[in-house]
mmCIF file of all heavy atoms in Angstrom:
data_model
loop_
_atom_site.group_PDB
_atom_site.id
_atom_site.type_symbol
_atom_site.label_atom_id
_atom_site.label_comp_id
_atom_site.label_asym_id
_atom_site.label_seq_id
_atom_site.Cartn_x
_atom_site.Cartn_y
_atom_site.Cartn_z
ATOM 1 N N GLU A 1015 -34.144 -18.007 30.788
ATOM 2 C CA GLU A 1015 -35.239 -17.204 31.192
ATOM 3 C C GLU A 1015 -36.137 -16.837 29.985
ATOM 4 O O GLU A 1015 -35.715 -16.711 28.899
ATOM 5 C CB GLU A 1015 -34.747 -15.879 31.746
ATOM 6 C CG GLU A 1015 -33.918 -16.004 33.085
ATOM 7 C CD GLU A 1015 -34.812 -16.327 34.246
ATOM 8 O OE1 GLU A 1015 -36.122 -16.159 34.149
ATOM 9 O OE2 GLU A 1015 -34.283 -16.821 35.282
ATOM 10 N N ALA A 1016 -37.430 -16.679 30.290
ATOM 11 C CA ALA A 1016 -38.366 -16.296 29.213
ATOM 12 C C ALA A 1016 -37.998 -14.953 28.634
ATOM 13 O O ALA A 1016 -37.882 -13.999 29.346
ATOM 14 C CB ALA A 1016 -39.763 -16.316 29.760
ATOM 15 N N ALA A 1017 -37.837 -14.847 27.318
ATOM 16 C CA ALA A 1017 -37.372 -13.669 26.607
ATOM 17 C C ALA A 1017 -37.672 -13.811 25.195
ATOM 18 O O ALA A 1017 -37.867 -14.865 24.671
ATOM 19 C CB ALA A 1017 -35.893 -13.443 26.887
ATOM 20 N N PRO A 1018 -37.707 -12.586 24.474
ATOM 21 C CA PRO A 1018 -37.812 -12.676 23.021
ATOM 22 C C PRO A 1018 -36.676 -13.405 22.342
ATOM 23 O O PRO A 1018 -35.552 -13.477 22.945
ATOM 24 C CB PRO A 1018 -37.920 -11.152 22.623
ATOM 25 C CG PRO A 1018 -38.239 -10.473 23.932
ATOM 26 C CD PRO A 1018 -37.643 -11.286 24.977
ATOM 27 N N VAL A 1019 -36.913 -13.899 21.210
ATOM 28 C CA VAL A 1019 -35.843 -14.577 20.424
ATOM 29 C C VAL A 1019 -35.103 -13.657 19.514
ATOM 30 O O VAL A 1019 -35.504 -12.498 19.289
ATOM 31 C CB VAL A 1019 -36.479 -15.760 19.633
ATOM 32 C CG1 VAL A 1019 -37.031 -16.780 20.460
ATOM 33 C CG2 VAL A 1019 -37.449 -15.160 18.599
ATOM 34 N N MET A 1020 -33.985 -14.037 19.036
ATOM 35 C CA MET A 1020 -33.177 -13.257 18.151
ATOM 36 C C MET A 1020 -33.928 -13.011 16.855
ATOM 37 O O MET A 1020 -34.857 -13.746 16.508
ATOM 38 C CB MET A 1020 -31.888 -13.971 17.808
ATOM 39 C CG MET A 1020 -31.954 -15.223 17.102
ATOM 40 S SD MET A 1020 -30.393 -16.005 16.680
ATOM 41 C CE MET A 1020 -29.766 -16.345 18.332
ATOM 42 N N PRO A 1021 -33.530 -11.929 16.139
ATOM 43 C CA PRO A 1021 -34.290 -11.612 14.902
ATOM 44 C C PRO A 1021 -34.442 -12.711 13.889
ATOM 45 O O PRO A 1021 -35.480 -12.868 13.225
ATOM 46 C CB PRO A 1021 -33.565 -10.334 14.388
ATOM 47 C CG PRO A 1021 -32.913 -9.800 15.553
ATOM 48 C CD PRO A 1021 -32.504 -10.872 16.450
ATOM 49 N N ALA A 1022 -33.416 -13.547 13.740
ATOM 50 C CA ALA A 1022 -33.406 -14.653 12.781
ATOM 51 C C ALA A 1022 -34.467 -15.613 13.017
ATOM 52 O O ALA A 1022 -35.001 -16.364 12.187
ATOM 53 C CB ALA A 1022 -31.987 -15.255 12.743
ATOM 54 N N LEU A 1023 -34.839 -15.713 14.285
ATOM 55 C CA LEU A 1023 -35.771 -16.721 14.719
ATOM 56 C C LEU A 1023 -37.246 -16.216 14.696
ATOM 57 O O LEU A 1023 -38.213 -16.955 14.892
ATOM 58 C CB LEU A 1023 -35.540 -17.315 16.092
ATOM 59 C CG LEU A 1023 -34.199 -17.947 16.278
ATOM 60 C CD1 LEU A 1023 -34.031 -18.441 17.710
ATOM 61 C CD2 LEU A 1023 -34.098 -19.149 15.349
ATOM 62 N N ARG A 1024 -37.391 -14.891 14.477
ATOM 63 C CA ARG A 1024 -38.731 -14.280 14.343
ATOM 64 C C ARG A 1024 -39.301 -14.566 12.981
ATOM 65 O O ARG A 1024 -39.440 -13.597 12.166
ATOM 66 C CB ARG A 1024 -38.691 -12.809 14.672
ATOM 67 C CG ARG A 1024 -38.250 -12.522 16.119
ATOM 68 C CD ARG A 1024 -38.047 -11.023 16.345
ATOM 69 N NE ARG A 1024 -37.374 -10.749 17.644
ATOM 70 C CZ ARG A 1024 -36.844 -9.651 17.938
ATOM 71 N NH1 ARG A 1024 -36.891 -8.584 17.116
ATOM 72 N NH2 ARG A 1024 -36.344 -9.432 19.257
ATOM 73 N N SER A 1025 -39.648 -15.781 12.721
ATOM 74 C CA SER A 1025 -40.174 -16.123 11.412
ATOM 75 C C SER A 1025 -41.279 -17.215 11.644
ATOM 76 O O SER A 1025 -41.293 -18.012 12.572
ATOM 77 C CB SER A 1025 -39.005 -16.660 10.583
ATOM 78 O OG SER A 1025 -39.494 -17.312 9.395
ATOM 79 N N TYR A 1026 -42.125 -17.340 10.551
ATOM 80 C CA TYR A 1026 -43.122 -18.381 10.671
ATOM 81 C C TYR A 1026 -42.497 -19.676 10.471
ATOM 82 O O TYR A 1026 -43.123 -20.735 10.777
ATOM 83 C CB TYR A 1026 -44.185 -18.179 9.533
ATOM 84 C CG TYR A 1026 -43.640 -18.119 8.140
ATOM 85 C CD1 TYR A 1026 -43.448 -19.295 7.360
ATOM 86 C CD2 TYR A 1026 -43.245 -16.930 7.511
ATOM 87 C CE1 TYR A 1026 -42.960 -19.297 6.081
ATOM 88 C CE2 TYR A 1026 -42.789 -16.915 6.195
ATOM 89 C CZ TYR A 1026 -42.592 -18.164 5.529
ATOM 90 O OH TYR A 1026 -42.056 -18.071 4.254
ATOM 91 N N TRP A 1027 -41.235 -19.823 9.975
ATOM 92 C CA TRP A 1027 -40.478 -21.117 9.871
ATOM 93 C C TRP A 1027 -40.327 -21.683 11.277
ATOM 94 O O TRP A 1027 -40.056 -22.844 11.379
ATOM 95 C CB TRP A 1027 -39.247 -20.915 9.140
ATOM 96 C CG TRP A 1027 -39.396 -20.617 7.671
ATOM 97 C CD1 TRP A 1027 -39.102 -19.491 6.958
ATOM 98 C CD2 TRP A 1027 -39.895 -21.616 6.720
ATOM 99 N NE1 TRP A 1027 -39.320 -19.661 5.705
ATOM 100 C CE2 TRP A 1027 -39.846 -20.946 5.479
ATOM 101 C CE3 TRP A 1027 -40.363 -22.900 6.808
ATOM 102 C CZ2 TRP A 1027 -40.248 -21.559 4.313
ATOM 103 C CZ3 TRP A 1027 -40.732 -23.552 5.686
ATOM 104 C CH2 TRP A 1027 -40.711 -22.914 4.477
ATOM 105 N N LEU A 1028 -40.265 -20.814 12.315
ATOM 106 C CA LEU A 1028 -40.119 -21.273 13.641
ATOM 107 C C LEU A 1028 -41.281 -22.274 14.027
ATOM 108 O O LEU A 1028 -41.040 -23.364 14.669
ATOM 109 C CB LEU A 1028 -40.058 -20.232 14.646
ATOM 110 C CG LEU A 1028 -39.906 -20.572 16.102
ATOM 111 C CD1 LEU A 1028 -38.550 -21.259 16.371
ATOM 112 C CD2 LEU A 1028 -40.122 -19.368 17.062
ATOM 113 N N ALA A 1029 -42.446 -21.850 13.571
ATOM 114 C CA ALA A 1029 -43.576 -22.731 13.806
ATOM 115 C C ALA A 1029 -43.638 -24.007 12.944
ATOM 116 O O ALA A 1029 -43.946 -25.060 13.366
ATOM 117 C CB ALA A 1029 -44.868 -21.962 13.591
ATOM 118 N N VAL A 1030 -43.172 -23.788 11.661
ATOM 119 C CA VAL A 1030 -43.253 -24.860 10.735
ATOM 120 C C VAL A 1030 -42.124 -25.910 10.984
ATOM 121 O O VAL A 1030 -42.391 -27.082 11.229
ATOM 122 C CB VAL A 1030 -43.220 -24.313 9.288
ATOM 123 C CG1 VAL A 1030 -43.188 -25.519 8.303
ATOM 124 C CG2 VAL A 1030 -44.320 -23.446 9.008
ATOM 125 N N HIS A 1031 -40.896 -25.446 10.907
ATOM 126 C CA HIS A 1031 -39.753 -26.362 11.076
ATOM 127 C C HIS A 1031 -39.613 -26.945 12.408
ATOM 128 O O HIS A 1031 -39.553 -28.173 12.669
ATOM 129 C CB HIS A 1031 -38.479 -25.590 10.711
ATOM 130 C CG HIS A 1031 -37.216 -26.246 11.151
ATOM 131 N ND1 HIS A 1031 -36.762 -27.461 10.505
ATOM 132 C CD2 HIS A 1031 -36.240 -25.945 12.034
ATOM 133 C CE1 HIS A 1031 -35.637 -27.830 11.147
ATOM 134 N NE2 HIS A 1031 -35.318 -26.958 12.111
ATOM 135 N N VAL A 1032 -39.598 -26.146 13.471
ATOM 136 C CA VAL A 1032 -39.373 -26.641 14.867
ATOM 137 C C VAL A 1032 -40.567 -27.450 15.311
ATOM 138 O O VAL A 1032 -40.398 -28.472 16.043
ATOM 139 C CB VAL A 1032 -39.117 -25.494 15.790
ATOM 140 C CG1 VAL A 1032 -38.737 -26.052 17.140
ATOM 141 C CG2 VAL A 1032 -37.957 -24.620 15.325
ATOM 142 N N SER A 1033 -41.795 -27.168 14.938
ATOM 143 C CA SER A 1033 -42.916 -27.931 15.273
ATOM 144 C C SER A 1033 -42.781 -29.328 14.704
ATOM 145 O O SER A 1033 -43.030 -30.370 15.363
ATOM 146 C CB SER A 1033 -44.242 -27.314 14.798
ATOM 147 O OG SER A 1033 -44.431 -26.035 15.456
ATOM 148 N N ALA A 1034 -42.399 -29.430 13.458
ATOM 149 C CA ALA A 1034 -42.211 -30.748 12.755
ATOM 150 C C ALA A 1034 -41.108 -31.526 13.462
ATOM 151 O O ALA A 1034 -41.227 -32.710 13.694
ATOM 152 C CB ALA A 1034 -41.929 -30.626 11.296
ATOM 153 N N ALA A 1035 -39.960 -30.814 13.766
ATOM 154 C CA ALA A 1035 -38.858 -31.520 14.508
ATOM 155 C C ALA A 1035 -39.262 -32.007 15.849
ATOM 156 O O ALA A 1035 -38.854 -33.072 16.262
ATOM 157 C CB ALA A 1035 -37.743 -30.595 14.549
ATOM 158 N N THR A 1036 -40.085 -31.211 16.552
ATOM 159 C CA THR A 1036 -40.536 -31.569 17.899
ATOM 160 C C THR A 1036 -41.447 -32.837 17.848
ATOM 161 O O THR A 1036 -41.257 -33.789 18.597
ATOM 162 C CB THR A 1036 -41.260 -30.454 18.495
ATOM 163 O OG1 THR A 1036 -40.427 -29.306 18.671
ATOM 164 C CG2 THR A 1036 -41.782 -30.823 19.922
ATOM 165 N N ILE A 1037 -42.444 -32.790 16.876
ATOM 166 C CA ILE A 1037 -43.313 -33.948 16.836
ATOM 167 C C ILE A 1037 -42.516 -35.291 16.429
ATOM 168 O O ILE A 1037 -42.722 -36.250 17.064
ATOM 169 C CB ILE A 1037 -44.389 -33.709 15.723
ATOM 170 C CG1 ILE A 1037 -45.323 -32.523 16.286
ATOM 171 C CG2 ILE A 1037 -45.233 -34.921 15.461
ATOM 172 C CD1 ILE A 1037 -46.255 -32.015 15.197
ATOM 173 N N ALA A 1038 -41.657 -35.094 15.470
ATOM 174 C CA ALA A 1038 -40.855 -36.305 15.055
ATOM 175 C C ALA A 1038 -39.997 -36.793 16.103
ATOM 176 O O ALA A 1038 -39.869 -38.018 16.383
ATOM 177 C CB ALA A 1038 -40.075 -35.941 13.771
ATOM 178 N N SER A 1039 -39.324 -35.919 16.793
ATOM 179 C CA SER A 1039 -38.392 -36.277 17.885
ATOM 180 C C SER A 1039 -39.120 -37.035 19.012
ATOM 181 O O SER A 1039 -38.649 -38.047 19.497
ATOM 182 C CB SER A 1039 -37.689 -35.103 18.350
ATOM 183 O OG SER A 1039 -36.886 -34.502 17.381
ATOM 184 N N GLY A 1040 -40.220 -36.495 19.439
ATOM 185 C CA GLY A 1040 -41.037 -37.194 20.468
ATOM 186 C C GLY A 1040 -41.473 -38.550 20.031
ATOM 187 O O GLY A 1040 -41.346 -39.524 20.831
ATOM 188 N N LEU A 1041 -41.900 -38.765 18.801
ATOM 189 C CA LEU A 1041 -42.316 -40.036 18.332
ATOM 190 C C LEU A 1041 -41.147 -41.034 18.231
ATOM 191 O O LEU A 1041 -41.211 -42.212 18.669
ATOM 192 C CB LEU A 1041 -42.940 -39.944 16.969
ATOM 193 C CG LEU A 1041 -44.320 -39.348 16.910
ATOM 194 C CD1 LEU A 1041 -44.760 -38.981 15.465
ATOM 195 C CD2 LEU A 1041 -45.368 -40.298 17.500
ATOM 196 N N LEU A 1042 -39.975 -40.462 17.760
ATOM 197 C CA LEU A 1042 -38.802 -41.329 17.686
ATOM 198 C C LEU A 1042 -38.224 -41.720 19.051
ATOM 199 O O LEU A 1042 -37.578 -42.782 19.167
ATOM 200 C CB LEU A 1042 -37.742 -40.593 16.795
ATOM 201 C CG LEU A 1042 -38.085 -40.477 15.385
ATOM 202 C CD1 LEU A 1042 -37.031 -39.542 14.641
ATOM 203 C CD2 LEU A 1042 -38.160 -41.786 14.686
#
C-alpha cells in the first residue's frame, strides 16, 4: 500500500542510488 518509507530511506540517496539501479536494471 502507498505509505511513507522508513526513516533510513528518507534521503536524497534514494533518488540517486535507486534511480541509477532502476535505469541500469531496465537496460540490462
Side-chain angles (χ1 to χ4, degrees):
E1015 295 286 345
V1019 295
M1020 65 176 66
L1023 299 179
R1024 295 172 188 168
S1025 169
Y1026 59 88
W1027 288 112
L1028 180 67
V1030 177
H1031 164 66
V1032 185
S1033 296
T1036 299
I1037 295 171
S1039 298
L1041 288 167
L1042 290 173

